[in-house]
Amino acid sequence: MASPLSFDLLLQSSHDPSDAVTRALAGALAHAAAGVIPAPTLGLDGTRFQTLLARHFPALDGQICAAHCEGCRPLRSDEFADLVALLLAHRAHAGEEAEWLAHAIASACMGGNHLYHDMGLPNRQALSELLSRHFTRLFEKNVGNMKWKKFFYKQLCDQAEVRVCQAPSCQVCNDYQACFGPEDDTFPASLAALAGRAPVPQ
Ligand code: SF4
């Protein structure tokens, strides 16, 4: 059965379907609702989740929101909390929007695809622009243009002074391509419909 919180419905319910933050939240929410990422309410408690929906998707049927939110709890995971904290420590502005985005990004990090895929964004550039605008200092730290999800986890490992990398430096590491190589721009067919975009022809 199709999830009631689909990407199309969310955009139709929004003030401005072209707004980059609205589209990022809609993509993450649609994937969360469909179970692509394991965080139905993006790790927000019911009240904060309802506020997000009311602010960005005001025309959404309240019954759908209530049904989706029923019994929801904040995501209990050290990893998730650490990712949210990392993002918020580098937020470019105060307010709930950065918090919602941080939760959406951290939730999408729990998915199994490229981060921008799991956020329903069209490409890595769209994710980079979002991070540049809303988490500017974190964006600027990624001077080597590392893949974003790997970069976030590397930051957490460095903060905790945990050494998981096998090589003394990235330049001599056998995993360099995995961390810095180009990302496949093909949007997975299984996610394309959920994020309201046509699959790229093979
Ligand atoms: S390239 Fe190697 S050393 Fe650098 S972050 Fe990746 S795994 Fe670690």
Side-chain angles (χ1 to χ4, degrees):
M1 191 181 76
S3 164
L5 277 189
S6 70
F7 185 76
D8 287 346
L9 175 64
L10 285 159
L11 286 192
Q12 285 161 17
S13 307
S14 71
H15 280 306
D16 180 2
S18 67
D19 174 63
V21 173
T22 297
R23 295 185 76 85
L25 291 172
L29 283 167
H31 282 178
V36 174
I37 55 179
T41 59
L42 307 182
L44 294 161
D45 64 30
T47 303
R48 293 165 78 204
F49 186 66
Q50 295 280 359
T51 306
L52 182 166
L53 293 181
R55 193 78 53 79
H56 273 275
F57 311 102
L60 209 55
D61 183 334
Q63 287 187 339
I64 291 179
C65 303
H68 187 79
C69 236
E70 205 170 314
C72 67
R73 293 180 181 81
L75 206 59
R76 301 276 182 226
S77 153
D78 288 348
E79 175 187 341
F80 178 82
D82 287 351
L83 284 166
V84 171
L86 173 72
L87 286 155
L88 291 181
H90 296 84
R91 64 202 290 172
H93 48 81
E96 290 170 312
E97 191 147 275
E99 289 177 26
W100 295 331
L101 270 178
H103 277 76
I105 293 167
S107 296
C109 283
M110 306 286 134
N113 304 287
H114 290 315
L115 180 54
Y116 76 86
H117 283 161
D118 278 331
M119 290 198 67
L121 295 169
N123 48 44
R124 174 180 154 81
Q125 181 61 25
L127 175 59
S128 295
E129 286 171 10
L130 208 58
L131 292 165
S132 167
R133 181 154 189 193
H134 300 281
F135 304 95
T136 313
R137 285 187 300 117
L138 194 58
F139 172 84
E140 290 172 349
K141 280 186 183 175
N142 188 3
V143 290
N145 199 24
M146 199 171 184
K147 292 174 183 172
W148 283 114
K149 189 163 25 172
K150 288 186 179 291
F151 174 74
F152 296 155
Y153 281 96
K154 181 81 166 61
Q155 293 290 302
L156 294 182
C157 289
D158 288 351
Q159 276 179 12
E161 298 185 354
V162 173
R163 177 129 193 105
V164 289
C165 301
Q166 301 299 316
S169 78
C170 298
Q171 281 69 31
V172 296
C173 181
N174 290 335
D175 291 327
Y176 187 88
Q177 279 301 316
C179 288
F180 292 92
E183 285 171 286
D184 178 7
D185 260 355
T186 306
F187 213 86
S190 58
L191 299 186
L194 289 173
R197 64 189 84 256
V200 175
Q202 302 295 307

